[in-house]
C-alpha cells in the first residue's frame, strides 16, 4: 500500500501547478504541469510567481515546513523548496495548494544541480534545514555545507545574501564551522549550538520541521548558523 501511495503521489505531482521536476540529472531540464518543459532559470519571480519579490530557497526541504512557515511570515517573498524525494515534496506542495499559499513552489532535483536552474544573483537567501550529516569521512563531499556546495550557492546568491543552517548534528555543525573558518570570503553572522537554551534570537527559528520534531523528542540540541559571502 505504501508503494501504491507513493506512485499515486508521483502521478499527482505532475498536475500540481506549484511543482517542477528534473528527472535526469544529466539533462538540465525541468518540467511542470503535464510534464511540459519550462525554462525558469533567471525567471522564477517573473514567470512563476508573477512578481518581482525576493527568492528564498530551502534546500533539503523534505516536506517543506520552512518554506510553508516562512511564506506565511513573509508574504512579500517567494519561497522554493528543493528536494529529490517526490513523496515529501507532494506533502508540502499539497499543503501550499490547499492553503492557497501562492508564494511557495517546489523543485524536485538534486541540489548538486541547483546552478542549472537558478541564474547568478537570482537568490536572496538560502535555508538548509536538517540536512543529512553524511557522517562517514568518505561522504564528506555530500554534506550540504562542504566547499563544493558553498561554491554553488555563492554563484546563485545575490551579494550579501545569507545562508541559514539549522541542524541537530554536532558532527555537521563542527564540520561547517571548520569549513567556514577556512573560507576567506565568509562572514559568520550568527552561531549558536543550542538555540532553545535562551529566548530565540530570530522568530523564524520557532518553525519546526518533521525531522526537528523527532530530534527534539530525542533530546538533541538544535544548532543554528547564519553566514554570508563577502
Ligand atoms: C534529514 S531530511 C530533512 C528534511 C527536512 N528538511 C526536515 O527537516 O524535515 C534530508 C532531506 O534531504 C534530501 N536530500 C539529501 N541529499 C540531497 C541532494 N543531494 N539533493 C536533493 N535532496 C537531498 C533528502 O531527500 C531528505 O528529504
Amino acid at each position: 500500500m505504501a508503494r501504491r501511495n507513493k506512485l499515486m503521489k508521483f502521478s499527482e505531482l505532475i498536475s500540481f501547478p506549484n511543482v517542477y521536476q528534473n528527472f535526469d540529472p544529466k539533462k538540465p531540464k525541468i518540467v511542470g504541469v503535464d510534464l511540459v518543459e519550462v525554462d525558469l532559470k533567471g525567471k522564477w519571480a517573473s514567470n512563476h510567481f508573477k512578481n518581482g519579490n525576493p527568492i528564498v530557497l530551502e534546500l533539503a526541504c523534505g516536506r517543506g515546513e520552512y518554506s510553508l512557515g516562512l511564506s506565511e511570515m513573509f508574504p512579500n517573498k517567494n519561497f522554493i523548496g528543493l528536494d529529490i524525494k517526490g513523496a515529501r515534496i507532494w506533502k508540502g506542495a499539497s499543503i501550499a495548494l490547499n492553503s492557497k499559499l501562492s508564494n511557495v513552489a517546489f523543485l524536485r532535483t538534486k541540489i548538486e544541480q541547483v546552478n542549472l536552474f537558478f541564474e547568478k544573483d537570482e537568490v536572496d537567501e538560502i535555508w538548509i534545514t536538517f540536512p543529512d550529516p553524511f557522517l562517514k569521512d568518505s561522504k564528506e563531499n555530500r554534506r550540504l555545507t562542504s566547499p563544493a556546495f558553498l561554491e554553488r550557492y555563492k554563484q546563485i546568491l545575490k551579494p550579501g545574501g545569507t545562508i541559514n543552517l539549522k541542524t541537530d548534528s554536532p558532527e555537521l555543525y563542527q564540520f561547517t564551522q571548520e569549513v567556514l573558518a577556512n573560507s576567506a570570503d565568509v562572514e559568520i553572522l550568527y552561531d549558536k549550538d543550542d538555540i532553545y537554551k535562551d529566548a530565540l534570537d530570530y522568530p523564524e527559528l520557532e518553525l519546526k520541521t518533521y525531522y526537528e520534531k523527532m530530534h527534539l523528542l530525542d533530546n538533541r540540541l538544535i544548532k543554528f548558523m547564519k553566514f554570508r559571502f563577502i
Side-chain angles (χ1 to χ4, degrees):
M1 190 56 164
R3 174 91 187 134
R4 183 162 168 263
N5 278 340
K6 226 176 210 186
L7 292 177
M8 281 167 62
K9 286 175 183 171
F10 290 161
S11 73
E12 279 184 38
L13 272 188
I14 296 165
S15 68
F16 284 6
N18 58 353
V19 174
Y20 299 93
Q21 307 188 69
N22 166 258
F23 292 112
D24 182 352
K26 294 196 190 94
K27 292 190 188 145
K29 158 179 136 164
I30 53 174
V31 295
V33 170
D34 292 337
L35 301 177
V36 173
E37 189 173 339
V38 290
D39 175 15
L40 288 172
K41 186 174 181 174
K43 305 171 211 158
W44 281 91
S46 59
N47 289 16
H48 174 78
F49 294 105
K50 317 279 187 210
N51 60 39
N53 292 344
I55 300 276
V56 181
L57 297 188
E58 182 191 2
L59 304 180
C61 72
R63 295 154 184 81
E65 288 88 352
Y66 254 82
S67 296
L68 296 167
L70 290 173
S71 74
E72 291 191 280
M73 291 172 98
F74 303 101
N76 294 327
K77 294 184 183 182
N78 300 317
F79 295 87
I80 304 172
L82 270 78
D83 203 285
I84 194 60
K85 296 208 169 144
R88 291 184 182 179
I89 280 186
W90 179 92
K91 178 82 180 162
S94 302
I95 294 172
L97 290 175
N98 291 335
S99 308
K100 302 199 183 338
L101 293 171
S102 58
N103 60 333
V104 193
F106 290 87
L107 174 57
R108 183 181 179 193
T109 187
K110 286 182 79 86
I111 295 159
E112 286 82 345
Q113 308 275 92
V114 72
N115 302 86
L116 297 177
F117 306 121
F118 294 90
E119 192 55 86
K120 183 176 179 320
D121 296 351
E122 186 168 12
V123 175
D124 289 76
E125 188 176 355
I126 290 177
W127 281 79
I128 311 174
T129 52
F130 298 88
D132 298 305
F134 293 110
L135 294 176
K136 286 189 187 156
D137 284 348
S138 59
K139 295 198 170 171
E140 193 174 295
N141 291 340
R142 295 184 65 187
R143 296 177 192 154
L144 294 185
T145 51
S146 65
F149 275 100
L150 293 188
E151 193 49 44
R152 292 182 178 102
Y153 310 153
K154 190 176 169 181
Q155 286 171 29
I156 57 171
L157 268 175
K158 286 204 171 100
T162 50
I163 300 179
N164 304 275
L165 169 70
K166 208 176 182 194
T167 181
D168 65 297
S169 165
E171 294 85 359
L172 183 75
Y173 175 60
Q174 191 188 340
F175 170 81
T176 305
Q177 285 179 317
E178 286 167 11
V179 170
L180 298 185
N182 288 319
S183 308
D185 58 351
V186 164
E187 180 186 11
I188 296 174
L189 302 169
Y190 187 87
D191 180 354
K192 195 158 184 177
D193 64 358
D194 177 7
I195 59 168
Y196 298 118
K197 190 167 63 180
D198 313 298
L200 288 174
D201 289 309
Y202 297 96
E204 302 95 295
L205 293 177
E206 191 60 64
L207 299 170
K208 293 183 182 63
T209 71
Y210 179 85
Y211 273 82
E212 177 170 0
K213 286 178 191 159
M214 289 199 304
H215 296 316
L216 287 172
L217 285 175
D218 220 9
N219 292 319
R220 292 176 72 91
L221 301 183
I222 306 303
K223 297 123 191 13
F224 180 63
M225 295 188 81
K226 185 187 267 297
F227 56 95
R228 68 180 170 202
F229 298 107
I230 47 174

